[in-house]
Amino acid sequence: MPFRVMLSRAAGFLCIIAMSILQPHKVQAQLPFGGYANSNYAGIHGVPSNPASAAATHYKWDVNIAGLDGSIGNTYARFPRSTFLHPPDSTGGMKRNVNYFLDSAANPNKKQFGWGNMDVMMPSVLYSIDENQSIAFTWRVRAMGNVGNVKTDVANFFGLDFPNKQLIGQNYDMELANGSFHWWNEFGFTYASVIKDDGEHRLKGGVTLKLLSGIAAGYAQVEGSSFVMNAAHSADITRGTMKMGYSQGLNDWEKPTLSNYKMFGNLGFGMDLGIVYEWRDEVDGLQGYDDDQWNPEADDYRMRLGVSITDLGGITYKKNPNSKDLDLRVTGIDPSNIGIKKGEGWQQYYRRISQYFTPIASSDKFTMNTPAALNVMLDYNVDGRIFVNAKGVMALTSGKSDPSKTYAMTQLQITPRIDGQHFGAYLPLEINAHGQFDAGVGFRAGPLVIGSSTMLSNLFQKNKNRMDGFIALRIVPIRFGQTKLGCPAAQF
């Protein structure tokens, strides 16, 4: 059975998978520009992680031409390198244990997840008014989602030869499983300033106010569900409800996907807040920006500590009338009727299977929260060229009480790096909330930034279940071939 069809049937049987296992490629925000965003040379690319980083940077001004950061992954399915290099054709389909491998032997109570993120930074600019104050404008187009909390035994029920006659008579519980998807514009206006500077101690603060514009959003969450397959063509769902909603725009979806993009649609507001503390063991007084618009003191610290809360806010959408909350209790339902039909669109599919369940009254609007997170960063300057950075991200929203949320992935990243005026190299080492470890690499060469937080680990993994990458082009006031006094990194 083709892998996508198998997952679609899983979605159909409990309705939840329509937004979760059904589409694992639409799914949890990760660290942007892995390893590079916390560099003292990140400039405009560091603002989304902590707006305070905009103050007292190396460059008088910094312009992003275009930037792209994306990630995708899951905990349940792995794919060999051959599947990526030579995808099977439509006739052969995806074959289990050949084109993909499932985590079917895991603890039955283990939760399975999927995640993904796409962040496009459009033309954006940072400008330093003086050595103390900076302003910035960032324009980002973001898409992300969250799926998971599906127990392994439930995933196996649908993933292993569904409907599997060997599983007849067994009871399955799904206390909570959810998924969401969100695509939106984000226009950020940042102000950052040095709050205190006595030479040895410097404290900076910053705030980004955001105008949000929603393009599309949807969510689904199954709560308190139990089911049993009595026979190959008969199943009972003894309890459970599903909350579901999607925006009106998805009802009028057009192809290609980019044709649905609108700069100003459903409006909302958001905010980022941050502070940065720097400790200097050598005090030489402020110099500010020189004639070449270069601040040599930006990395004179020995230690830098940053704390920020990002992505506070949300967007309210009109709920499509066809998306209803459902009481899932039903007896004698044929699992084959729940599977997606050939050529059937997902909205047609949902309207059809909704007929098998009882609608529940719900609001005609929903608010999709943005992925609020607490970020803590520690940066240590070894010798002016070599740095070690540690950053932790803690998700502040999860969707358990309110399913209409996208949320960050809790994770820890440690990045040794070499940073200079014209060149930087980064080695991000990362572990996430699911216990997955990754190693990557990144480079900054003049205006170009490129890298991946999973590149090295994927080179040595036979089967893969996650990957990411980033690339950006920027313009900064650099004069090659000149040495900047007071900046030991200028030799690069």
Side-chain angles (χ1 to χ4, degrees):
M1 178 187 300
F3 185 56
R4 185 174 177 85
V5 174
M6 174 271 292
L7 294 183
S8 297
R9 290 187 177 179
F13 191 71
L14 280 183
C15 301
I16 170 61
I17 318 298
M19 294 297 292
S20 55
I21 295 181
L22 171 62
Q23 297 187 21
H25 60 289
K26 288 184 179 179
V27 287
Q28 189 164 53
Q30 289 188 290
L31 293 170
F33 292 95
Y36 158 71
N38 299 314
S39 164
N40 43 295
Y41 286 85
I44 187 66
H45 295 140
V47 172
S49 297
N50 190 328
S53 67
T57 66
H58 271 309
Y59 307 116
K60 179 76 173 180
W61 52 268
D62 185 355
V63 176
N64 173 76
I65 301 300
L68 173 64
D69 182 15
S71 62
I72 184 173
N74 79 103
T75 61
Y76 187 55
R78 288 180 174 269
F79 303 87
R81 185 180 291 107
S82 58
T83 300
F84 294 99
L85 298 177
H86 306 287
D89 57 34
S90 57
T91 57
M94 297 283 286
K95 298 179 180 179
R96 193 173 77 248
N97 297 331
V98 176
N99 305 115
Y100 68 92
F101 302 87
L102 301 180
D103 187 27
S104 57
N107 185 318
N109 293 316
K110 176 185 176 181
K111 303 292 182 63
Q112 301 291 351
F113 296 85
W115 58 91
N117 172 57
M118 186 67 69
D119 188 341
V120 181
M121 182 177 278
M122 305 296 281
S124 304
V125 61
L126 182 155
Y127 178 74
S128 297
I129 301 172
D130 53 33
E131 65 271 16
N132 291 319
Q133 302 179 84
S134 297
I135 56 176
F137 167 75
T138 51
W139 174 16
R140 301 162 70 192
V141 181
R142 304 173 65 181
M144 65 176 62
N146 320 271
V147 301
N149 286 306
V150 179
K151 294 196 302 182
T152 301
D153 64 341
V154 175
N156 288 342
F157 180 86
F158 296 107
L160 301 177
D161 303 319
F162 175 80
N164 191 333
K165 295 181 180 180
Q166 296 181 0
L167 302 179
I168 290 176
Q170 296 187 30
N171 291 297
Y172 294 87
D173 295 320
M174 186 182 292
E175 293 304 322
L176 177 71
N178 50 24
S180 64
F181 171 73
H182 198 188
W183 181 16
W184 77 99
N185 278 300
E186 184 175 291
F187 304 95
F189 304 88
T190 301
Y191 174 77
S193 177
V194 174
I195 300 173
K196 178 182 178 181
D197 191 341
D198 61 9
E200 184 178 1
H201 307 282
R202 175 182 286 182
L203 180 66
K204 303 187 290 186
V207 58
T208 298
L209 301 179
K210 300 178 180 180
L211 175 64
L212 309 177
S213 172
I215 303 169
Y219 66 90
Q221 179 164 296
V222 165
E223 301 174 356
S225 178
S226 293
F227 66 95
V228 59
M229 188 166 72
N230 302 312
H233 299 287
S234 177
D236 296 340
I237 302 178
T238 57
R239 64 186 180 99
T241 59
M242 186 188 74
K243 298 176 181 178
M244 181 170 181
Y246 56 88
S247 60
Q248 183 66 35
L250 286 174
N251 193 57
D252 305 319
W253 203 251
E254 300 176 356
K255 293 183 179 181
T257 298
L258 286 179
S259 64
N260 299 280
Y261 174 81
K262 295 180 177 61
M263 186 171 293
F264 297 102
N266 304 278
L267 296 181
F269 298 95
M271 178 186 295
D272 299 338
L273 298 169
I275 58 173
V276 173
Y277 165 76
E278 298 175 355
W279 171 65
R280 290 164 165 73
D281 56 358
E282 296 182 6
V283 181
D284 57 1
L286 289 173
Q287 298 181 30
Y289 290 93
D290 62 17
D291 293 338
D292 294 320
Q293 304 185 71
W294 169 262
N295 177 8
E297 289 190 311
D299 57 4
D300 282 352
Y301 59 84
R302 178 61 62 184
M303 185 274 291
R304 177 167 56 115
L305 174 66
V307 179
S308 64
I309 297 179
T310 55
D311 287 322
L312 295 170
I315 303 171
T316 298
Y317 291 87
K318 182 178 179 181
K319 187 176 179 180
N320 188 285
N322 293 324
S323 58
K324 309 168 184 176
D325 292 358
L326 300 173
D327 183 335
L328 298 179
R329 291 176 296 179
V330 66
T331 58
I333 190 170
D334 188 341
S336 63
N337 290 335
I338 305 299
I340 191 168
K341 308 289 185 183
K342 184 177 181 180
E344 188 175 39
W346 70 267
Q347 292 187 73
Q348 293 174 309
Y349 166 71
Y350 176 74
R351 285 194 294 268
R352 179 173 59 81
I353 65 169
S354 295
Q355 301 173 17
Y356 306 136
F357 306 105
T358 304
I360 301 175
S362 62
S363 173
D364 61 353
K365 295 181 179 180
F366 66 93
T367 298
M368 184 65 74
N369 296 75
T370 46
L374 172 66
N375 307 269
V376 179
M377 179 274 297
L378 179 66
D379 200 46
Y380 184 75
N381 185 339
V382 178
D383 68 354
R385 296 168 299 175
I386 300 174
F387 299 77
V388 179
N389 183 274
K391 181 176 181 179
V393 176
M394 179 182 295
L396 299 180
T397 58
S398 66
K400 291 184 178 180
S401 59
D402 178 2
S404 56
K405 293 179 180 177
T406 47
Y407 52 89
M409 179 185 291
T410 297
Q411 55 195 303
L412 174 66
Q413 185 182 84
I414 297 177
T415 306
R417 72 180 190 273
I418 299 175
D419 253 341
Q421 183 178 347
H422 306 311
F423 175 82
Y426 313 92
L427 183 65
L429 308 172
E430 184 176 293
I431 186 168
N432 64 29
H434 308 301
Q436 297 172 322
F437 174 80
D438 285 302
V441 64
F443 297 97
R444 174 178 55 85
L448 180 66
V449 181
I450 189 170
S452 165
S453 295
T454 59
M455 180 180 295
L456 296 182
S457 51
N458 277 335
L459 285 175
F460 297 99
Q461 289 177 340
K462 182 178 180 181
N463 300 314
K464 313 171 192 308
N465 61 358
R466 57 197 181 276
M467 63 180 63
D468 78 314
F470 59 86
I471 185 170
L473 185 66
R474 63 195 287 219
I475 301 176
V476 292
I478 296 178
R479 292 187 180 181
F480 291 95
Q482 295 188 6
T483 300
K484 308 297 182 184
L485 297 177
C487 177
Q491 60 187 292
F492 286 92

